[in-house]
Amino acid sequence: MEKSTWSQRLIKWFYGLDRTLDEYEQHVLDRAGHHITVGLMAYLLLSGLGVSFLAGMVGVNTSLVIWQFTNLGVCLVAWGYLSWAIYKLHLSDIEVTTKQYQGAIKAVLKKSQRQTLVTVVLFQMIDSLSNAWLDSASYWQTFFSWPQLRTLLIFAVVMGGASVLIGMARVKVVY
C-alpha cells in the first residue's frame, strides 16, 4: 500500500474526500494538482513583473489593488479547476437517504464555513505580508488596514458563497 503525500492528504481534507482513491482517480487528482502548480508558478513570475510595470504607470496603491483582485481571481480559478476534476470523477458525492438529507446539508454547510475561514485567513496573512513588504509598513498595520479588510471581505463572500453552493450540490439523495 502506497502512503499518500501531504498534498494528497490536503486535497482530501479540503474537499472532504473520505474514501481511498483508486489508481486512476489518484492520477487525475495528481495531474490536476500539477497543472495548478505550474499555473501558479507562472502566475507568480508574471504577476511580479506585471505589478512592477503597473506601479510605474498607475501608482503603487492602484497596482496593489489590481494585484489583490487578480490574486483573488487566480485563487478562484485554481480552486474551481480542482473542484471540476473532483466533480468529474464523482469523488465528492455524498449519497444519503431522504431521512439523512437535512443532517448532511448541515454537515456540509459547517464544513464549508470551516474551509472558507481557513482559506480566507491564510489568504489575508499572505496578502498582508506581501503588501507590508511592498509598502515598507508594519505587518499588523497592513493586516488590519481597510484595503486589506475590504479584499478579505470580498474574498470571503465569493469563496464562501461558492463553497456553500458546491457543498450543497454534493449531497445526492438515493432511494
Side-chain angles (χ1 to χ4, degrees):
M1 182 170 157
E2 191 175 316
K3 193 168 176 91
S4 61
T5 64
W6 68 270
S7 62
Q8 293 166 348
R9 287 191 300 257
L10 181 66
I11 289 170
K12 287 177 76 173
W13 170 80
F14 189 80
Y15 286 97
L17 307 176
D18 297 325
R19 66 182 180 85
T20 18
L21 306 175
D22 64 26
E23 191 175 322
Y24 174 72
E25 294 167 339
Q26 193 61 56
H27 174 71
V28 170
L29 282 183
D30 286 344
R31 190 173 41 144
H34 292 283
H35 288 168
I36 289 171
T37 303
V38 168
L40 289 177
M41 290 300 289
Y43 168 73
L44 286 173
L45 292 172
L46 293 175
S47 71
L49 185 62
V51 167
S52 298
F53 285 127
L54 198 58
M57 293 175 12
V58 296
V60 174
N61 289 336
T62 305
S63 66
L64 288 178
V65 169
I66 293 170
W67 189 48
Q68 287 173 344
F69 282 106
T70 306
N71 287 344
L72 173 66
V74 167
C75 286
L76 289 174
V77 167
W79 177 62
Y81 177 71
L82 195 53
S83 296
W84 175 78
I86 287 172
Y87 173 77
K88 186 173 75 170
L89 293 172
H90 301 285
L91 296 179
S92 61
D93 289 352
I94 302 170
E95 295 180 347
V96 296
T97 63
T98 53
K99 290 181 182 180
Q100 299 168 325
Y101 183 74
Q102 290 297 327
I105 290 292
K106 287 179 185 175
V108 164
L109 291 177
K110 236 178 171 178
K111 184 162 182 53
S112 294
Q113 290 172 344
R114 277 195 319 264
Q115 288 174 317
T116 301
L117 180 65
V118 168
T119 307
V120 164
V121 168
L122 287 174
F123 177 79
Q124 176 75 348
M125 290 170 65
I126 292 167
D127 201 36
S128 295
L129 182 64
S130 63
N131 287 336
W133 181 71
L134 287 171
D135 290 342
S136 299
S138 154
Y139 174 76
W140 292 110
Q141 182 182 12
T142 304
F143 188 87
F144 292 110
S145 69
W146 172 242
Q148 282 296 121
L149 294 176
R150 181 183 60 218
T151 304
L152 172 77
L153 181 62
I154 292 169
F155 187 69
V157 168
V158 172
M159 172 91 180
S163 181
V164 164
L165 292 175
I166 289 171
M168 290 177 65
R170 291 177 58 195
V171 179
K172 310 282 189 236
V173 176
V174 293
Y175 298 97

